Amino acid sequence: METVYSDMDTSSCDYSFTHTDDEDSRSSLHPASPASSCGKPPASPAELQQKKRRRGRARNEATVHVVKKNRRMKANDRERNRMHNLNDALDALRSVLPAFPDDTKLTKIETLRFAHNYIWALSETIRIADQKSRDPALLLPGLSCMGDAPSPGGDSCSWPSGASSSSSSPSYSNSDPGSPAAMDDFGYLQTDVVYSYTNFVPSIY
DNA sequence: TAGGCCATCTGGTCCT
DNA sequence: AGGACCAGATGGCCTA
């Protein structure tokens, strides 16, 4: 794409710039046409004087233009860095989330939704464990898999709908079958938390 | 080839 | 005034 910068006094044939995206990175401005090639007859001293003034103004505008351009480039640079920081944070988030067997990198939106649901699952686990520690006799129906001995088969473990008045099921439930994380054999059984999480995965994703 | 995801640019707005 | 943040536009790459 080429943009023509000609916000100067065009009648003077001075300082008309062409600009391409490539040139942006090099911060170059090209005079499109030399001032002497306007094909006009020689001007009177008064006209020359006026022309000089106009050219001075054009130079000022050219300076303003260059300043603006430099400011834009700096802003672009900052924006780029900002987005890189954001991506680094997303990578850090991915790194603390359980990895998937097929090593598929979660997309940005998937990472955020996954993290949201994962946090929810963990807090549910803590809450239920806390409840159980206070009253061991308390057995929550539908959470039989949350005990001390998770069944590796991961059979009918599921999160009870409305297990608590203080908890709500994750709002981000993407059950898109085409999603890279929709997997069947997710066999990480390191802790109860992870176990409950892994059993939860099919429904949170 | 369409659709999804991503990086980058850009202009506007808000904040310090 | 300058930087941070945001959202829209655009183009490239990849995959079904």
Side-chain angles (χ1 to χ4, degrees):
Chain A
M1 179 181 59
E2 182 175 353
T3 311
V4 178
Y5 291 105
S6 57
D7 49 358
M8 320 303 171
D9 186 355
T10 50
S11 66
S12 67
C13 293
D14 278 347
Y15 301 100
S16 121
F17 301 99
T18 58
H19 156 241
T20 63
D21 289 344
D22 258 353
E23 290 160 1
D24 252 353
S25 57
R26 297 191 296 270
S27 187
S28 62
L29 292 171
H30 301 297
S33 58
S36 56
S37 63
C38 292
K40 286 180 183 173
S44 68
E47 278 173 333
L48 281 174
Q49 193 69 353
Q50 204 175 14
K51 210 169 181 179
K52 250 185 189 174
R53 252 182 265 133
R54 252 188 261 144
R55 196 181 303 159
R57 189 176 147 223
R59 285 225 168 94
N60 281 342
E61 289 175 359
T63 305
V64 167
H65 176 71
V66 168
V67 167
K68 276 185 180 175
K69 199 175 174 185
N70 284 338
R71 215 176 285 166
R72 224 320 111 196
M73 285 172 66
K74 275 172 76 179
N76 288 348
D77 218 39
R78 285 194 304 272
E79 178 66 8
R80 223 177 298 127
N81 286 333
R82 199 180 69 84
M83 295 311 292
H84 287 168
N85 285 337
L86 190 61
N87 288 337
D88 287 347
L90 270 167
D91 282 339
L93 183 58
R94 280 189 193 102
S95 71
V96 298
L97 290 173
F100 290 108
D102 54 359
D103 212 18
T104 309
K105 188 185 177 185
L106 296 175
T107 65
K108 292 180 174 181
I109 188 68
E110 283 169 348
T111 302
L112 291 176
R113 285 176 172 158
F114 193 6
H116 175 268
N117 293 342
Y118 186 48
I119 290 169
W120 179 85
L122 292 182
S123 37
E124 275 299 279
T125 302
I126 290 170
R127 187 186 61 78
I128 290 164
D130 192 44
Q131 250 179 4
K132 279 177 76 177
S133 70
R134 264 187 240 147
D135 184 5
L138 185 68
L139 219 72
L140 289 172
L143 272 176
S144 54
C145 66
M146 293 293 296
D148 316 310
S151 59
D155 39 14
S156 60
C157 178
S158 65
W159 292 81
S161 57
S164 159
S165 57
S166 64
S167 69
S168 58
S169 59
S171 47
Y172 292 122
S173 307
N174 182 1
S175 58
D176 178 11
S179 164
M183 63 296 181
D184 298 319
D185 48 351
F186 197 79
Y188 294 91
L189 297 175
Q190 295 155 355
T191 67
D192 283 3
V193 168
V194 174
Y195 175 74
S196 57
Y197 152 75
T198 55
N199 281 280
F200 186 54
V201 163
S203 60
I204 69 171
Y205 218 72

